[in-house]
Amino acid sequence: MERRIDLHTHSTASDGTDSPAQVVEKASRASLAAVALTDHDTIAGLAEAREAANDLGVELIAGCEISTRADYGSMHVLGLWLPENSSELKGFLAKMRGIREERNRKMVDKLRKLGFDISMEELMAEADGAVGRPHLAKLMEKKGYATLHEAFTKYLGSKGGLAYVPKEAMRPEEAVRLLSRFGATVSLAHPLLRDLPRDWLASQVAALVPCGLDALEAWHSKQDESQSEWLVNLARANGLGISGGSDYHGSVKPDIQLGRIGPGKYVPIDVLNNLKKTRKQKGLPC
Ligand code: AMP
Ligand code: ZN
Ligand code: FE
Ligand code: FE
């Protein structure tokens, strides 16, 4: 069997439901050679994941995912091979989580005005690190106020949600430059997930290359074969590499399995080896 990897996963350090150690244990059970933990706005899960990875002989790649705001909507940027002990990086991510907290407070206020008994304390207890709308939705469900789906469609979704508050976010160029400065391999996460206009996306990608973009996430559980093919070509045209991962979140997204990017579809280890080759050429550790 060809060895497999997963370069996009979330744990309880952000909005996943498995602890960082559990993510690595599941990766080991799924016979993955390597897994990247890419929590939103935090690297706080990495220490625990590293310990499990050492015990189980799974290669762990230190990552995170940052949401940015581009002209046509949000774009997610993945940093892979991040420094795990940089206080500068930790400080920056803490600032991002501070922005989240402010926004969460505003959403909680709106929900309270709508008559729901929800507090910031309860919300903060829902996660170990980067708290966001999925946690708020889960809390609403727990309290019997809405189903997870309704929580988003009626209250928290960007399209007319009664308690929606837009997230202050940096531009994709800034996020790419920043992660690149920390020596990360920077990949654009699930570029076709939100149906952005393709011409525009192609011009965005070209504009991000001089900022330090290294790769496109051509393989992702929510992108089909033809989308992947388009992305592989776009990457090639821009001299970029390819990354791939499931975007595993545990039981909140039960349709996504660790290590799978579709029924019977996996990310081969070649993807990792190619990214490493480029890092070595640049003198970066991996
Ligand atoms: P936040 O970072 O707090 O804005 O939350 C964004 C996350 O909420 C996304 O990564 C999704 O996992 C989740 N999300 C966004 N919209 C929906 C939706 N309509 N239904 C379920 N989850 C959603
Ligand atoms: Zn997430
Ligand atoms: Fe994402
Ligand atoms: Fe993700």
Side-chain angles (χ1 to χ4, degrees):
M1 184 181 82
E2 191 185 29
R3 304 222 64 196
R4 303 158 176 170
I5 59 162
D6 191 332
L7 298 182
H8 190 158
T9 71
H10 298 267
S11 75
T12 46
S14 65
D15 56 357
T17 56
D18 288 352
S19 69
Q22 283 171 326
V23 171
V24 175
E25 280 155 23
K26 284 195 181 166
S28 168
R29 249 179 284 144
S31 305
L32 298 186
V35 64
L37 186 66
T38 54
D39 277 306
H40 302 276
D41 297 341
T42 185
I43 55 169
L46 288 173
E48 183 188 310
R50 177 69 59 203
E51 207 171 307
N54 288 344
D55 287 347
L56 297 167
V58 175
E59 181 174 351
L60 174 73
I61 290 123
C64 77
E65 181 175 22
I66 293 179
S67 313
T68 69
R69 169 114 48 277
D71 295 341
Y72 266 102
S74 87
M75 285 179 110
H76 291 183
V77 179
L78 288 173
L80 299 169
W81 286 282
L82 288 168
E84 285 169 59
N85 296 309
S86 158
S87 47
E88 197 192 345
L89 177 60
K90 284 181 184 166
F92 164 75
L93 294 171
K95 219 160 71 187
M96 303 280 300
R97 296 197 296 277
I99 292 172
R100 275 180 179 276
E101 191 174 328
E102 244 174 77
R103 177 202 194 204
N104 289 338
R105 212 173 280 284
K106 287 182 192 159
M107 289 191 289
V108 166
D109 281 349
K110 281 193 167 184
L111 287 170
R112 290 178 69 87
K113 286 199 180 108
L114 289 166
F116 298 112
D117 178 23
I118 283 176
S119 69
M120 262 315 262
E121 289 65 38
E122 287 171 300
L123 177 59
M124 298 305 272
E126 287 289 313
D128 298 333
V131 183
R133 286 183 294 160
H135 304 101
L136 201 43
K138 211 155 72 180
L139 186 58
M140 290 187 80
E141 186 196 38
K142 231 193 255 179
K143 297 198 127 192
Y145 296 150
T147 62
L148 277 182
H149 181 73
E150 279 168 358
F152 271 97
T153 50
K154 277 197 191 162
Y155 303 106
L156 304 174
S158 57
K159 293 196 176 79
L162 295 172
Y164 176 70
V165 175
K167 188 154 68 176
E168 209 186 296
M170 59 176 140
R171 306 281 302 177
E173 303 81 47
E174 285 177 82
V176 170
R177 274 197 209 104
L178 181 110
L179 292 170
S180 184
R181 195 161 55 78
F182 283 106
T185 290
V186 186
S187 184
L188 205 54
H190 47 69
L192 289 177
L193 183 65
R194 290 199 175 82
D195 252 346
L196 297 168
R198 292 201 182 184
D199 309 356
W200 174 80
L201 188 59
S203 68
Q204 265 291 296
V205 166
L208 290 173
V209 173
C211 301
L213 186 68
D214 297 291
L216 299 182
E217 192 178 48
W219 290 301
H220 181 272
S221 54
K222 300 284 175 190
Q223 284 170 175
D224 66 24
E225 205 88 39
S226 76
Q227 291 177 315
S228 297
E229 200 183 300
W230 187 81
L231 288 167
V232 167
N233 287 329
L234 181 62
R236 196 169 292 147
N238 285 278
L240 295 172
I242 298 293
S243 78
S246 62
D247 213 347
Y248 177 73
H249 277 74
S251 62
V252 276
K253 295 189 182 179
D255 52 326
I256 301 176
Q257 284 178 298
L258 188 71
R260 298 264 188 103
I261 48 160
K265 283 172 64 191
Y266 308 90
V267 182
I269 198 166
D270 286 358
V271 169
L272 181 68
N273 291 336
N274 287 333
L275 292 174
K276 282 181 175 172
K277 202 152 88 187
T278 307
R279 288 184 67 79
K280 282 185 191 131
Q281 283 164 357
K282 291 184 176 175
L284 293 167
C286 45

Coordinates of all heavy atoms in Angstrom, one line a residue, residues 8 10 40 65 76 189-190 247, ligand 3:
H8 N -4.0 18.6 6.8 CA -5.0 19.6 7.2 C -6.0 19.0 8.3 O -6.9 18.3 7.9 CB -5.8 20.2 6.0 CG -6.6 21.4 6.3 ND1 -7.0 22.2 5.3 CD2 -7.2 21.8 7.4 CE1 -7.7 23.2 5.8 NE2 -7.9 23.0 7.1
H10 N -7.9 19.5 12.4 CA -8.2 20.4 13.6 C -8.5 19.6 14.8 O -9.0 18.5 14.8 CB -9.5 21.2 13.3 CG -9.3 22.2 12.1 ND1 -8.8 23.5 12.3 CD2 -9.4 22.0 10.8 CE1 -8.7 24.0 11.1 NE2 -9.1 23.1 10.2
H40 N -7.1 26.5 13.9 CA -7.3 27.9 13.5 C -6.7 28.8 14.6 O -7.0 28.7 15.8 CB -8.8 28.3 13.6 CG -9.7 27.4 12.6 ND1 -9.8 27.7 11.3 CD2 -10.4 26.3 12.8 CE1 -10.6 26.9 10.7 NE2 -11.0 26.0 11.7
E65 N -4.0 27.4 10.7 CA -4.8 27.9 9.6 C -5.3 29.3 10.0 O -5.8 29.5 11.1 CB -6.0 27.0 9.3 CG -6.9 27.5 8.2 CD -8.0 26.5 7.8 OE1 -8.4 25.6 8.7 OE2 -8.5 26.5 6.7
H76 N -8.6 31.0 3.3 CA -7.8 30.5 4.4 C -6.4 30.1 4.0 O -6.2 29.6 2.9 CB -8.5 29.2 4.9 CG -9.9 29.6 5.6 ND1 -10.7 28.6 6.1 CD2 -10.5 30.7 5.7 CE1 -11.7 29.2 6.6 NE2 -11.7 30.5 6.4
A189 N -5.5 27.2 1.5 CA -6.4 26.1 1.9 C -7.6 26.1 1.0 O -8.1 27.2 0.6 CB -6.8 26.2 3.3
H190 N -8.1 24.9 0.6 CA -9.3 24.7 -0.1 C -9.7 25.9 -1.0 O -10.8 26.5 -0.7 CB -10.4 24.3 0.8 CG -10.6 25.2 2.1 ND1 -11.0 26.5 2.1 CD2 -10.3 24.9 3.4 CE1 -11.0 26.9 3.3 NE2 -10.6 26.0 4.1
D247 N -9.1 18.2 6.2 CA -9.8 19.3 7.0 C -10.7 18.6 8.1 O -11.8 19.0 8.4 CB -10.7 20.2 6.1 CG -10.7 21.6 6.6 OD1 -10.3 21.8 7.8 OD2 -11.2 22.5 5.9
Ligands
FE3 FE -10.5 26.5 6.3

